[in-house]
mmCIF file of all heavy atoms in Angstrom:
data_model
loop_
_atom_site.group_PDB
_atom_site.id
_atom_site.type_symbol
_atom_site.label_atom_id
_atom_site.label_comp_id
_atom_site.label_asym_id
_atom_site.label_seq_id
_atom_site.Cartn_x
_atom_site.Cartn_y
_atom_site.Cartn_z
ATOM 1 N N PHE A 133 10.848 -0.667 -6.051
ATOM 2 C CA PHE A 133 10.811 -1.455 -4.817
ATOM 3 C C PHE A 133 9.665 -2.470 -4.903
ATOM 4 O O PHE A 133 9.849 -3.675 -4.647
ATOM 5 C CB PHE A 133 10.634 -0.481 -3.645
ATOM 6 C CG PHE A 133 10.626 -1.086 -2.272
ATOM 7 C CD1 PHE A 133 11.371 -2.215 -1.974
ATOM 8 C CD2 PHE A 133 9.876 -0.504 -1.259
ATOM 9 C CE1 PHE A 133 11.366 -2.754 -0.677
ATOM 10 C CE2 PHE A 133 9.869 -1.026 0.025
ATOM 11 C CZ PHE A 133 10.604 -2.162 0.307
ATOM 12 N N ALA A 134 8.490 -1.992 -5.305
ATOM 13 C CA ALA A 134 7.317 -2.885 -5.402
ATOM 14 C C ALA A 134 7.589 -4.013 -6.394
ATOM 15 O O ALA A 134 7.302 -5.184 -6.110
ATOM 16 C CB ALA A 134 6.087 -2.082 -5.821
ATOM 17 N N ARG A 135 8.160 -3.697 -7.526
ATOM 18 C CA ARG A 135 8.450 -4.734 -8.524
ATOM 19 C C ARG A 135 9.370 -5.791 -7.929
ATOM 20 O O ARG A 135 9.139 -6.999 -8.086
ATOM 21 C CB ARG A 135 9.117 -4.115 -9.763
ATOM 22 C CG ARG A 135 9.541 -5.142 -10.808
ATOM 23 C CD ARG A 135 10.626 -4.580 -11.716
ATOM 24 N NE ARG A 135 11.751 -4.123 -10.912
ATOM 25 C CZ ARG A 135 12.554 -3.103 -11.239
ATOM 26 N NH1 ARG A 135 12.377 -2.455 -12.359
ATOM 27 N NH2 ARG A 135 13.539 -2.741 -10.429
ATOM 28 N N ASP A 136 10.414 -5.350 -7.217
ATOM 29 C CA ASP A 136 11.396 -6.298 -6.693
ATOM 30 C C ASP A 136 10.841 -7.118 -5.525
ATOM 31 O O ASP A 136 11.391 -8.179 -5.208
ATOM 32 C CB ASP A 136 12.673 -5.566 -6.281
ATOM 33 C CG ASP A 136 13.456 -5.097 -7.502
ATOM 34 O OD1 ASP A 136 12.979 -5.340 -8.637
ATOM 35 O OD2 ASP A 136 14.532 -4.500 -7.338
ATOM 36 N N LEU A 137 9.773 -6.643 -4.887
ATOM 37 C CA LEU A 137 9.128 -7.432 -3.831
ATOM 38 C C LEU A 137 8.310 -8.582 -4.408
ATOM 39 O O LEU A 137 7.909 -9.475 -3.681
ATOM 40 C CB LEU A 137 8.208 -6.536 -2.975
ATOM 41 C CG LEU A 137 8.880 -5.628 -1.965
ATOM 42 C CD1 LEU A 137 7.856 -4.654 -1.373
ATOM 43 C CD2 LEU A 137 9.532 -6.445 -0.854
ATOM 44 N N ARG A 138 8.032 -8.560 -5.689
ATOM 45 C CA ARG A 138 7.227 -9.575 -6.367
ATOM 46 C C ARG A 138 5.920 -9.864 -5.631
ATOM 47 O O ARG A 138 5.649 -10.997 -5.220
ATOM 48 C CB ARG A 138 8.013 -10.881 -6.527
ATOM 49 C CG ARG A 138 9.301 -10.699 -7.307
ATOM 50 C CD ARG A 138 10.111 -11.974 -7.285
ATOM 51 N NE ARG A 138 10.981 -12.033 -8.446
ATOM 52 C CZ ARG A 138 10.613 -12.496 -9.641
ATOM 53 N NH1 ARG A 138 9.383 -12.939 -9.826
ATOM 54 N NH2 ARG A 138 11.466 -12.520 -10.630
ATOM 55 N N PRO A 139 5.099 -8.845 -5.444
ATOM 56 C CA PRO A 139 3.855 -9.046 -4.690
ATOM 57 C C PRO A 139 2.864 -9.933 -5.438
ATOM 58 O O PRO A 139 2.916 -10.046 -6.668
ATOM 59 C CB PRO A 139 3.305 -7.625 -4.536
ATOM 60 C CG PRO A 139 3.944 -6.837 -5.619
ATOM 61 C CD PRO A 139 5.258 -7.475 -5.924
ATOM 62 N N ASP A 140 1.968 -10.566 -4.665
ATOM 63 C CA ASP A 140 0.863 -11.312 -5.274
ATOM 64 C C ASP A 140 -0.217 -10.363 -5.755
ATOM 65 O O ASP A 140 -0.966 -10.689 -6.685
ATOM 66 C CB ASP A 140 0.259 -12.278 -4.243
ATOM 67 C CG ASP A 140 1.269 -13.311 -3.820
ATOM 68 O OD1 ASP A 140 1.520 -14.209 -4.632
ATOM 69 O OD2 ASP A 140 1.831 -13.191 -2.712
ATOM 70 N N LEU A 141 -0.312 -9.218 -5.076
ATOM 71 C CA LEU A 141 -1.373 -8.267 -5.405
ATOM 72 C C LEU A 141 -0.855 -6.864 -5.129
ATOM 73 O O LEU A 141 -0.299 -6.616 -4.056
ATOM 74 C CB LEU A 141 -2.591 -8.555 -4.516
ATOM 75 C CG LEU A 141 -3.921 -7.953 -4.949
ATOM 76 C CD1 LEU A 141 -4.459 -8.697 -6.180
ATOM 77 C CD2 LEU A 141 -4.934 -8.029 -3.818
ATOM 78 N N THR A 142 -1.015 -5.978 -6.086
ATOM 79 C CA THR A 142 -0.643 -4.570 -5.897
ATOM 80 C C THR A 142 -1.884 -3.727 -6.127
ATOM 81 O O THR A 142 -2.498 -3.796 -7.193
ATOM 82 C CB THR A 142 0.474 -4.159 -6.884
ATOM 83 O OG1 THR A 142 1.588 -5.028 -6.688
ATOM 84 C CG2 THR A 142 0.914 -2.722 -6.663
ATOM 85 N N LEU A 143 -2.254 -2.961 -5.114
ATOM 86 C CA LEU A 143 -3.459 -2.130 -5.209
ATOM 87 C C LEU A 143 -3.067 -0.660 -5.183
ATOM 88 O O LEU A 143 -2.243 -0.238 -4.365
ATOM 89 C CB LEU A 143 -4.412 -2.443 -4.045
ATOM 90 C CG LEU A 143 -4.946 -3.884 -4.030
ATOM 91 C CD1 LEU A 143 -5.787 -4.120 -2.777
ATOM 92 C CD2 LEU A 143 -5.762 -4.178 -5.286
ATOM 93 N N LEU A 144 -3.666 0.104 -6.078
ATOM 94 C CA LEU A 144 -3.393 1.533 -6.187
ATOM 95 C C LEU A 144 -4.576 2.308 -5.612
ATOM 96 O O LEU A 144 -5.686 2.220 -6.136
ATOM 97 C CB LEU A 144 -3.177 1.917 -7.661
ATOM 98 C CG LEU A 144 -2.839 3.388 -7.911
ATOM 99 C CD1 LEU A 144 -1.381 3.670 -7.552
ATOM 100 C CD2 LEU A 144 -3.100 3.768 -9.367
ATOM 101 N N VAL A 145 -4.315 3.063 -4.547
ATOM 102 C CA VAL A 145 -5.351 3.848 -3.881
ATOM 103 C C VAL A 145 -5.335 5.265 -4.452
ATOM 104 O O VAL A 145 -4.260 5.838 -4.665
ATOM 105 C CB VAL A 145 -5.098 3.884 -2.354
ATOM 106 C CG1 VAL A 145 -6.116 4.755 -1.641
ATOM 107 C CG2 VAL A 145 -5.100 2.463 -1.781
ATOM 108 N N ALA A 146 -6.515 5.807 -4.703
ATOM 109 C CA ALA A 146 -6.617 7.184 -5.204
ATOM 110 C C ALA A 146 -7.867 7.831 -4.619
ATOM 111 O O ALA A 146 -8.875 7.156 -4.414
ATOM 112 C CB ALA A 146 -6.693 7.190 -6.733
ATOM 113 N N PRO A 147 -7.821 9.137 -4.350
ATOM 114 C CA PRO A 147 -9.029 9.813 -3.878
ATOM 115 C C PRO A 147 -10.020 9.976 -5.024
ATOM 116 O O PRO A 147 -9.620 10.296 -6.150
ATOM 117 C CB PRO A 147 -8.513 11.172 -3.389
ATOM 118 C CG PRO A 147 -7.169 11.354 -4.010
ATOM 119 C CD PRO A 147 -6.660 10.032 -4.466
ATOM 120 N N ASP A 148 -11.313 9.748 -4.723
ATOM 121 C CA ASP A 148 -12.361 9.836 -5.742
ATOM 122 C C ASP A 148 -12.788 11.298 -5.894
ATOM 123 O O ASP A 148 -13.878 11.692 -5.511
ATOM 124 C CB ASP A 148 -13.544 8.951 -5.308
ATOM 125 C CG ASP A 148 -14.591 8.816 -6.395
ATOM 126 O OD1 ASP A 148 -14.346 9.280 -7.531
ATOM 127 O OD2 ASP A 148 -15.662 8.265 -6.094
ATOM 128 N N ARG A 149 -11.881 12.102 -6.456
ATOM 129 C CA ARG A 149 -12.142 13.539 -6.575
ATOM 130 C C ARG A 149 -11.685 14.024 -7.944
ATOM 131 O O ARG A 149 -11.075 13.268 -8.713
ATOM 132 C CB ARG A 149 -11.425 14.301 -5.467
ATOM 133 C CG ARG A 149 -9.921 14.251 -5.605
ATOM 134 C CD ARG A 149 -9.187 15.034 -4.509
ATOM 135 N NE ARG A 149 -7.753 14.868 -4.697
ATOM 136 C CZ ARG A 149 -6.859 14.791 -3.714
ATOM 137 N NH1 ARG A 149 -7.239 14.862 -2.458
ATOM 138 N NH2 ARG A 149 -5.583 14.636 -3.986
ATOM 139 N N LEU A 150 -11.976 15.285 -8.244
ATOM 140 C CA LEU A 150 -11.548 15.879 -9.504
ATOM 141 C C LEU A 150 -10.031 15.744 -9.637
ATOM 142 O O LEU A 150 -9.300 16.076 -8.704
ATOM 143 C CB LEU A 150 -11.962 17.357 -9.520
ATOM 144 C CG LEU A 150 -11.898 18.063 -10.877
ATOM 145 C CD1 LEU A 150 -12.818 17.401 -11.892
ATOM 146 C CD2 LEU A 150 -12.262 19.537 -10.708
ATOM 147 N N GLY A 151 -9.554 15.257 -10.777
ATOM 148 C CA GLY A 151 -8.127 15.040 -10.990
ATOM 149 C C GLY A 151 -7.744 13.577 -10.912
ATOM 150 O O GLY A 151 -6.645 13.196 -11.331
ATOM 151 N N ALA A 152 -8.656 12.741 -10.393
ATOM 152 C CA ALA A 152 -8.321 11.325 -10.205
ATOM 153 C C ALA A 152 -8.077 10.619 -11.542
ATOM 154 O O ALA A 152 -7.227 9.728 -11.622
ATOM 155 C CB ALA A 152 -9.431 10.615 -9.428
ATOM 156 N N LEU A 153 -8.821 11.016 -12.588
ATOM 157 C CA LEU A 153 -8.635 10.328 -13.872
ATOM 158 C C LEU A 153 -7.186 10.495 -14.323
ATOM 159 O O LEU A 153 -6.511 9.530 -14.670
ATOM 160 C CB LEU A 153 -9.600 10.869 -14.926
ATOM 161 C CG LEU A 153 -11.084 10.637 -14.631
ATOM 162 C CD1 LEU A 153 -11.946 11.184 -15.767
ATOM 163 C CD2 LEU A 153 -11.360 9.150 -14.412
ATOM 164 N N HIS A 154 -6.722 11.721 -14.302
ATOM 165 C CA HIS A 154 -5.326 11.954 -14.688
ATOM 166 C C HIS A 154 -4.364 11.175 -13.800
ATOM 167 O O HIS A 154 -3.463 10.487 -14.286
ATOM 168 C CB HIS A 154 -4.965 13.439 -14.627
ATOM 169 C CG HIS A 154 -3.484 13.642 -14.692
ATOM 170 N ND1 HIS A 154 -2.693 13.648 -13.558
ATOM 171 C CD2 HIS A 154 -2.647 13.746 -15.744
ATOM 172 C CE1 HIS A 154 -1.426 13.764 -13.927
ATOM 173 N NE2 HIS A 154 -1.375 13.827 -15.239
ATOM 174 N N ASP A 155 -4.551 11.288 -12.503
ATOM 175 C CA ASP A 155 -3.573 10.705 -11.576
ATOM 176 C C ASP A 155 -3.522 9.189 -11.719
ATOM 177 O O ASP A 155 -2.436 8.591 -11.691
ATOM 178 C CB ASP A 155 -3.909 11.094 -10.130
ATOM 179 C CG ASP A 155 -3.697 12.584 -9.873
ATOM 180 O OD1 ASP A 155 -3.143 13.267 -10.759
ATOM 181 O OD2 ASP A 155 -4.099 13.057 -8.791
ATOM 182 N N VAL A 156 -4.682 8.562 -11.853
ATOM 183 C CA VAL A 156 -4.715 7.098 -11.951
ATOM 184 C C VAL A 156 -4.188 6.644 -13.313
ATOM 185 O O VAL A 156 -3.405 5.690 -13.394
ATOM 186 C CB VAL A 156 -6.138 6.549 -11.685
ATOM 187 C CG1 VAL A 156 -6.217 5.062 -12.003
ATOM 188 C CG2 VAL A 156 -6.532 6.822 -10.234
ATOM 189 N N ILE A 157 -4.594 7.336 -14.361
ATOM 190 C CA ILE A 157 -4.142 6.912 -15.701
ATOM 191 C C ILE A 157 -2.631 7.124 -15.839
ATOM 192 O O ILE A 157 -1.904 6.241 -16.317
ATOM 193 C CB ILE A 157 -4.928 7.663 -16.796
ATOM 194 C CG1 ILE A 157 -6.390 7.195 -16.774
ATOM 195 C CG2 ILE A 157 -4.306 7.422 -18.175
ATOM 196 C CD1 ILE A 157 -7.338 8.081 -17.549
ATOM 197 N N ALA A 158 -2.135 8.268 -15.385
ATOM 198 C CA ALA A 158 -0.695 8.529 -15.481
ATOM 199 C C ALA A 158 0.097 7.501 -14.663
ATOM 200 O O ALA A 158 1.115 6.972 -15.126
ATOM 201 C CB ALA A 158 -0.386 9.949 -14.990
ATOM 202 N N THR A 159 -0.408 7.203 -13.458
ATOM 203 C CA THR A 159 0.334 6.285 -12.587
ATOM 204 C C THR A 159 0.334 4.869 -13.153
ATOM 205 O O THR A 159 1.362 4.180 -13.133
ATOM 206 C CB THR A 159 -0.278 6.306 -11.166
ATOM 207 O OG1 THR A 159 -0.319 7.654 -10.704
ATOM 208 C CG2 THR A 159 0.547 5.474 -10.198
ATOM 209 N N THR A 160 -0.818 4.421 -13.654
ATOM 210 C CA THR A 160 -0.867 3.041 -14.176
ATOM 211 C C THR A 160 -0.056 2.921 -15.474
ATOM 212 O O THR A 160 0.585 1.899 -15.711
ATOM 213 C CB THR A 160 -2.312 2.570 -14.402
ATOM 214 O OG1 THR A 160 -3.003 3.510 -15.220
ATOM 215 C CG2 THR A 160 -3.039 2.413 -13.074
ATOM 216 N N ARG A 161 -0.081 3.960 -16.286
ATOM 217 C CA ARG A 161 0.756 3.920 -17.505
ATOM 218 C C ARG A 161 2.231 3.865 -17.143
ATOM 219 O O ARG A 161 3.005 3.112 -17.738
ATOM 220 C CB ARG A 161 0.504 5.160 -18.366
ATOM 221 C CG ARG A 161 -0.737 5.071 -19.189
ATOM 222 C CD ARG A 161 -0.641 6.083 -20.303
ATOM 223 N NE ARG A 161 -1.767 5.924 -21.215
ATOM 224 C CZ ARG A 161 -1.744 6.308 -22.478
ATOM 225 N NH1 ARG A 161 -0.668 6.900 -22.977
ATOM 226 N NH2 ARG A 161 -2.779 6.126 -23.242
ATOM 227 N N ALA A 162 2.618 4.673 -16.185
ATOM 228 C CA ALA A 162 4.026 4.689 -15.769
ATOM 229 C C ALA A 162 4.405 3.350 -15.139
ATOM 230 O O ALA A 162 5.521 2.864 -15.335
ATOM 231 C CB ALA A 162 4.265 5.842 -14.789
ATOM 232 N N ALA A 163 3.479 2.743 -14.383
ATOM 233 C CA ALA A 163 3.771 1.447 -13.750
ATOM 234 C C ALA A 163 4.090 0.399 -14.811
ATOM 235 O O ALA A 163 4.954 -0.461 -14.610
ATOM 236 C CB ALA A 163 2.594 1.001 -12.888
ATOM 237 N N ARG A 164 3.393 0.484 -15.939
ATOM 238 C CA ARG A 164 3.615 -0.495 -17.004
ATOM 239 C C ARG A 164 5.054 -0.418 -17.517
ATOM 240 O O ARG A 164 5.621 -1.414 -17.949
ATOM 241 C CB ARG A 164 2.625 -0.215 -18.140
ATOM 242 C CG ARG A 164 2.244 -1.438 -18.915
ATOM 243 C CD ARG A 164 1.106 -1.152 -19.875
ATOM 244 N NE ARG A 164 -0.123 -0.782 -19.199
ATOM 245 C CZ ARG A 164 -1.094 -0.042 -19.748
ATOM 246 N NH1 ARG A 164 -0.954 0.425 -20.979
ATOM 247 N NH2 ARG A 164 -2.180 0.231 -19.073
ATOM 248 N N SER A 165 5.655 0.756 -17.452
ATOM 249 C CA SER A 165 7.013 0.919 -17.984
ATOM 250 C C SER A 165 8.072 0.339 -17.039
ATOM 251 O O SER A 165 9.224 0.198 -17.433
ATOM 252 C CB SER A 165 7.298 2.399 -18.233
ATOM 253 O OG SER A 165 7.510 3.067 -17.002
ATOM 254 N N VAL A 166 7.690 0.014 -15.802
ATOM 255 C CA VAL A 166 8.701 -0.431 -14.824
ATOM 256 C C VAL A 166 9.272 -1.819 -15.134
ATOM 257 O O VAL A 166 10.516 -1.963 -15.126
ATOM 258 C CB VAL A 166 8.117 -0.325 -13.393
ATOM 259 C CG1 VAL A 166 9.053 -0.938 -12.356
ATOM 260 C CG2 VAL A 166 7.863 1.152 -13.052
ATOM 261 N N PRO A 167 8.543 -2.929 -15.395
ATOM 262 C CA PRO A 167 7.093 -3.016 -15.352
ATOM 263 C C PRO A 167 6.611 -3.486 -13.991
ATOM 264 O O PRO A 167 7.218 -4.343 -13.377
ATOM 265 C CB PRO A 167 6.795 -4.081 -16.410
ATOM 266 C CG PRO A 167 7.980 -4.988 -16.377
ATOM 267 C CD PRO A 167 9.150 -4.190 -15.888
ATOM 268 N N LEU A 168 5.505 -2.890 -13.534
ATOM 269 C CA LEU A 168 4.845 -3.306 -12.294
ATOM 270 C C LEU A 168 3.364 -3.475 -12.601
ATOM 271 O O LEU A 168 2.684 -2.499 -12.906
ATOM 272 C CB LEU A 168 5.042 -2.246 -11.200
ATOM 273 C CG LEU A 168 4.233 -2.510 -9.920
ATOM 274 C CD1 LEU A 168 4.808 -3.686 -9.136
ATOM 275 C CD2 LEU A 168 4.158 -1.262 -9.045
ATOM 276 N N PRO A 169 2.859 -4.702 -12.521
ATOM 277 C CA PRO A 169 1.425 -4.879 -12.762
ATOM 278 C C PRO A 169 0.599 -4.271 -11.619
ATOM 279 O O PRO A 169 0.915 -4.497 -10.449
ATOM 280 C CB PRO A 169 1.231 -6.410 -12.790
ATOM 281 C CG PRO A 169 2.601 -6.996 -12.782
ATOM 282 C CD PRO A 169 3.531 -5.971 -12.226
ATOM 283 N N ILE A 170 -0.406 -3.488 -11.945
ATOM 284 C CA ILE A 170 -1.362 -2.965 -10.957
ATOM 285 C C ILE A 170 -2.610 -3.842 -11.069
ATOM 286 O O ILE A 170 -3.203 -3.960 -12.144
ATOM 287 C CB ILE A 170 -1.723 -1.486 -11.235
ATOM 288 C CG1 ILE A 170 -0.474 -0.595 -11.236
ATOM 289 C CG2 ILE A 170 -2.753 -0.979 -10.213
ATOM 290 C CD1 ILE A 170 0.213 -0.434 -9.915
ATOM 291 N N ASP A 171 -2.988 -4.466 -9.946
ATOM 292 C CA ASP A 171 -4.070 -5.454 -9.999
ATOM 293 C C ASP A 171 -5.440 -4.858 -9.717
ATOM 294 O O ASP A 171 -6.449 -5.480 -10.022
ATOM 295 C CB ASP A 171 -3.786 -6.574 -8.993
ATOM 296 C CG ASP A 171 -2.462 -7.246 -9.306
ATOM 297 O OD1 ASP A 171 -2.346 -7.813 -10.406
ATOM 298 O OD2 ASP A 171 -1.530 -7.169 -8.477
ATOM 299 N N GLY A 172 -5.454 -3.685 -9.087
ATOM 300 C CA GLY A 172 -6.756 -3.083 -8.805
ATOM 301 C C GLY A 172 -6.609 -1.641 -8.381
ATOM 302 O O GLY A 172 -5.563 -1.241 -7.852
ATOM 303 N N ILE A 173 -7.670 -0.870 -8.647
ATOM 304 C CA ILE A 173 -7.725 0.540 -8.254
ATOM 305 C C ILE A 173 -8.742 0.650 -7.121
ATOM 306 O O ILE A 173 -9.863 0.139 -7.239
ATOM 307 C CB ILE A 173 -8.219 1.435 -9.421
ATOM 308 C CG1 ILE A 173 -7.509 1.123 -10.743
ATOM 309 C CG2 ILE A 173 -8.147 2.911 -9.048
ATOM 310 C CD1 ILE A 173 -6.108 1.530 -10.826
ATOM 311 N N VAL A 174 -8.341 1.324 -6.034
ATOM 312 C CA VAL A 174 -9.226 1.528 -4.881
ATOM 313 C C VAL A 174 -9.471 3.022 -4.747
ATOM 314 O O VAL A 174 -8.565 3.774 -4.380
ATOM 315 C CB VAL A 174 -8.588 0.976 -3.590
ATOM 316 C CG1 VAL A 174 -9.512 1.204 -2.397
ATOM 317 C CG2 VAL A 174 -8.258 -0.512 -3.736
ATOM 318 N N LEU A 175 -10.681 3.458 -5.056
ATOM 319 C CA LEU A 175 -11.027 4.870 -4.906
ATOM 320 C C LEU A 175 -11.559 5.106 -3.502
ATOM 321 O O LEU A 175 -12.314 4.289 -2.972
ATOM 322 C CB LEU A 175 -12.088 5.265 -5.937
ATOM 323 C CG LEU A 175 -11.617 5.231 -7.397
ATOM 324 C CD1 LEU A 175 -12.791 5.402 -8.341
ATOM 325 C CD2 LEU A 175 -10.558 6.297 -7.655
ATOM 326 N N VAL A 176 -11.137 6.218 -2.905
ATOM 327 C CA VAL A 176 -11.577 6.564 -1.546
ATOM 328 C C VAL A 176 -12.401 7.846 -1.623
ATOM 329 O O VAL A 176 -11.925 8.863 -2.146
ATOM 330 C CB VAL A 176 -10.376 6.782 -0.597
ATOM 331 C CG1 VAL A 176 -10.857 7.125 0.818
ATOM 332 C CG2 VAL A 176 -9.477 5.549 -0.573
ATOM 333 N N THR A 177 -13.618 7.807 -1.132
ATOM 334 C CA THR A 177 -14.483 8.992 -1.114
ATOM 335 C C THR A 177 -13.835 10.067 -0.247
ATOM 336 O O THR A 177 -13.514 9.805 0.915
ATOM 337 C CB THR A 177 -15.866 8.632 -0.541
ATOM 338 O OG1 THR A 177 -16.402 7.573 -1.335
ATOM 339 C CG2 THR A 177 -16.802 9.820 -0.559
ATOM 340 N N PRO A 178 -13.620 11.261 -0.827
ATOM 341 C CA PRO A 178 -12.974 12.318 -0.027
ATOM 342 C C PRO A 178 -13.997 13.034 0.847
ATOM 343 O O PRO A 178 -15.197 12.947 0.636
ATOM 344 C CB PRO A 178 -12.406 13.252 -1.096
ATOM 345 C CG PRO A 178 -13.327 13.098 -2.261
ATOM 346 C CD PRO A 178 -13.892 11.699 -2.207
ATOM 347 N N GLU A 179 -13.503 13.762 1.825
ATOM 348 C CA GLU A 179 -14.334 14.583 2.698
ATOM 349 C C GLU A 179 -13.847 16.010 2.623
ATOM 350 O O GLU A 179 -12.746 16.279 3.094
ATOM 351 C CB GLU A 179 -14.260 14.034 4.125
ATOM 352 C CG GLU A 179 -15.122 14.760 5.131
ATOM 353 C CD GLU A 179 -16.582 14.841 4.734
ATOM 354 O OE1 GLU A 179 -17.150 13.794 4.351
ATOM 355 O OE2 GLU A 179 -17.141 15.951 4.766
ATOM 356 N N PRO A 180 -14.576 16.994 2.043
ATOM 357 C CA PRO A 180 -15.877 16.780 1.421
ATOM 358 C C PRO A 180 -15.738 16.208 0.011
ATOM 359 O O PRO A 180 -14.682 16.362 -0.613
ATOM 360 C CB PRO A 180 -16.431 18.206 1.362
ATOM 361 C CG PRO A 180 -15.219 19.075 1.214
ATOM 362 C CD PRO A 180 -14.122 18.393 1.959
ATOM 363 N N PRO A 181 -16.810 15.588 -0.504
ATOM 364 C CA PRO A 181 -16.784 15.136 -1.891
ATOM 365 C C PRO A 181 -16.808 16.337 -2.844
ATOM 366 O O PRO A 181 -17.082 17.455 -2.418
ATOM 367 C CB PRO A 181 -18.078 14.312 -2.021
ATOM 368 C CG PRO A 181 -18.919 14.634 -0.848
ATOM 369 C CD PRO A 181 -18.058 15.275 0.200
ATOM 370 N N ASP A 182 -16.494 16.123 -4.119
ATOM 371 C CA ASP A 182 -16.607 17.213 -5.098
ATOM 372 C C ASP A 182 -17.434 16.749 -6.292
ATOM 373 O O ASP A 182 -18.019 15.661 -6.269
ATOM 374 C CB ASP A 182 -15.220 17.760 -5.482
ATOM 375 C CG ASP A 182 -14.367 16.775 -6.281
ATOM 376 O OD1 ASP A 182 -14.924 15.816 -6.849
ATOM 377 O OD2 ASP A 182 -13.135 16.979 -6.334
ATOM 378 N N SER A 183 -17.458 17.579 -7.345
ATOM 379 C CA SER A 183 -18.349 17.292 -8.480
ATOM 380 C C SER A 183 -17.967 16.000 -9.195
ATOM 381 O O SER A 183 -18.787 15.407 -9.896
ATOM 382 C CB SER A 183 -18.300 18.464 -9.470
ATOM 383 O OG SER A 183 -16.946 18.678 -9.865
ATOM 384 N N ALA A 184 -16.720 15.546 -9.040
ATOM 385 C CA ALA A 184 -16.279 14.337 -9.736
ATOM 386 C C ALA A 184 -16.452 13.069 -8.888
ATOM 387 O O ALA A 184 -16.344 11.956 -9.418
ATOM 388 C CB ALA A 184 -14.806 14.475 -10.144
#
Side-chain angles (χ1 to χ4, degrees):
F133 182 32
R135 176 202 56 211
D136 288 1
L137 283 171
R138 302 173 155 275
D140 297 286
L141 197 73
T142 303
L143 297 175
L144 182 77
V145 177
D148 188 8
R149 67 179 177 215
L150 194 60
L153 296 182
H154 166 272
D155 292 351
V156 171
I157 292 166
T159 306
T160 53
R161 280 199 174 204
R164 209 171 296 155
S165 74
V166 173
L168 172 72
I170 302 293
D171 301 298
I173 313 289
V174 180
L175 293 170
V176 181
T177 303
E179 182 55 48
D182 68 19
S183 56

